[in-house]
Amino acid sequence: QVQFVESGGELVQPGGSLNLSCLASGFRWTTGVIGWFRQAPGKEREEVSCISSAGGYQYYTDSVKGRFTISRDTSKDTVYLQIRRAKPDDTAVYYCATHRGCTKQYMADHTGWSRWGQGTQVTVSS
């Protein structure tokens, strides 16, 4: 199974913005969802956001609500994660993966997600 490809991570100052991309080649949008996760050094992997198969529902973990926005462009097989008002605690490697649902419960089931990519590094520092 071909893994997803994350990109767009970079060094950004606190309060800044950046946009991450998840290339999901050949993804079946009608039967699956895509979610974003992150992992900081020495920390457990943390669920961040997901978007439903129809695109009408998005989930965000409490720490990113109001700052992060998930979106998609099915014509490009790509899901995006816009980060605004970045904080140092956002520093992590960001990954995308797929599952069958987009809820808090699905996001907590890390082992149920597949097609994990290599991740893209986001560093928030002055």
Side-chain angles (χ1 to χ4, degrees):
Q1 186 176 41
V2 179
Q3 293 182 309
F4 293 164
V5 179
E6 303 93 342
S7 63
E10 62 180 347
L11 173 65
V12 63
Q13 293 185 336
S17 301
L18 71 165
N19 195 48
L20 309 183
S21 297
C22 171
L23 178 60
S25 299
F27 187 70
R28 295 184 178 183
W29 299 98
T30 59
T31 59
V33 304
I34 292 178
W36 284 96
F37 300 78
R38 66 187 182 186
Q39 187 167 25
K43 299 289 187 179
E44 295 290 321
R45 184 165 55 200
E46 177 188 21
E47 55 267 27
V48 176
S49 180
C50 60
I51 186 167
S52 65
S53 59
Y57 175 79
Q58 304 89 44
Y59 164 85
Y60 301 94
T61 194
D62 287 345
S63 63
V64 308
K65 286 181 179 178
R67 300 189 300 113
F68 288 22
T69 302
I70 189 170
S71 62
R72 70 183 190 182
D73 185 341
T74 58
S75 69
K76 297 180 179 179
D77 281 351
T78 301
V79 170
Y80 304 98
L81 185 68
Q82 182 186 38
I83 300 173
R84 295 178 291 112
R85 301 192 300 278
K87 300 178 179 180
D89 285 348
D90 295 326
T91 296
V93 177
Y94 284 70
Y95 302 89
C96 58
T98 185
H99 208 333
R100 291 175 292 174
C102 178
T103 66
K104 184 177 181 179
Q105 290 178 312
Y106 273 102
M107 291 294 283
D109 177 26
H110 291 199
T111 61
W113 296 77
S114 63
R115 299 191 67 182
W116 298 93
Q118 293 182 333
T120 186
Q121 176 72 53
V122 172
T123 302
V124 184
S125 176
S126 60

